[in-house]
Amino acid sequence: MKHFGEQKAIRILFLAVGDVLLVNAAQFLALFIRFEFVFQNARESGFLDSVITFTPVYTAMCLVVFALLGLWKYISIREAMLIAQAAVIVGVLQVFFMTMLKLPINRSFPILNILILMLLLAGERFSYRFFRTLLHGRVLARSQERTM
């Protein structure tokens, strides 16, 4: 049983670290898509500074919401729905807190961020499960080979 608990803790740790990278990638990608991948336009708008300023709060907020919803599991229909729910929740919270902190942000950013975040998180979990199944499939195929 102890081994199972350690494996689960390691899996959760890797998913949480991946989530930190992905939630931040999603918000910067959303901003760059909004400004048609022209870094200078994003910078001159002041929105890039807003996103950078809010990044630590956003990252912590995402981890709290993901933990409350129990998102560090394998991908399933239920988890895909939870990912969508979490992305919408953190998107709404992001707009709320950025507005409260008087950090300027354009209207399309939250929607792009939510969509990209959903895709990245679901992709991360699907790829984890895909490679784990692929590895398990090979292990099982080897163990079923005849030895005599």
Side-chain angles (χ1 to χ4, degrees):
M1 280 297 197
K2 186 177 181 183
H3 180 66
F4 177 74
E6 289 173 6
Q7 281 183 329
K8 185 176 181 179
I10 290 170
R11 184 184 75 234
I12 289 171
L13 177 66
F14 277 109
L15 284 173
V17 168
D19 286 350
V20 166
L21 297 173
L22 292 176
V23 298
N24 289 298
Q27 69 175 348
F28 286 104
L29 186 57
L31 189 64
F32 290 127
I33 287 172
R34 164 60 181 90
F35 287 101
E36 299 173 357
F37 296 99
V38 179
F39 180 77
Q40 193 62 29
N41 291 349
R43 186 179 198 119
E44 289 173 358
S45 71
F47 297 141
L48 180 61
D49 293 333
S50 292
V51 170
I52 290 170
T53 301
F54 196 69
T55 292
V57 175
Y58 180 68
T59 302
M61 188 173 57
C62 287
L63 290 175
V64 168
V65 169
F66 295 174
L68 290 173
L69 293 176
L71 280 187
W72 293 309
K73 302 175 201 159
Y74 299 115
I75 190 74
S76 64
I77 296 299
R78 182 182 183 286
E79 178 149 308
M81 297 300 292
L82 287 174
I83 287 171
Q85 183 180 5
V88 170
I89 290 170
V90 296
V92 169
L93 289 173
Q94 183 180 35
V95 170
F96 175 75
F97 285 116
M98 288 183 83
T99 302
M100 295 301 293
L101 295 171
K102 297 186 186 333
L103 295 171
I105 200 68
N106 58 30
R107 292 174 294 181
S108 62
F109 171 77
I111 294 167
L112 287 171
N113 187 34
I114 289 168
L115 294 173
I116 293 168
L117 184 59
M118 283 190 282
L119 289 172
L120 291 177
L121 292 177
E124 173 194 30
R125 281 150 178 81
F126 178 78
S127 64
Y128 175 81
R129 186 158 189 174
F130 174 79
F131 288 117
R132 189 166 189 272
T133 302
L134 190 64
L135 177 65
H136 251 1
R138 286 184 185 158
V139 170
L140 291 174
R142 279 191 222 134
S143 68
Q144 292 175 354
E145 290 178 0
R146 298 176 87 178
T147 57
M148 294 186 121

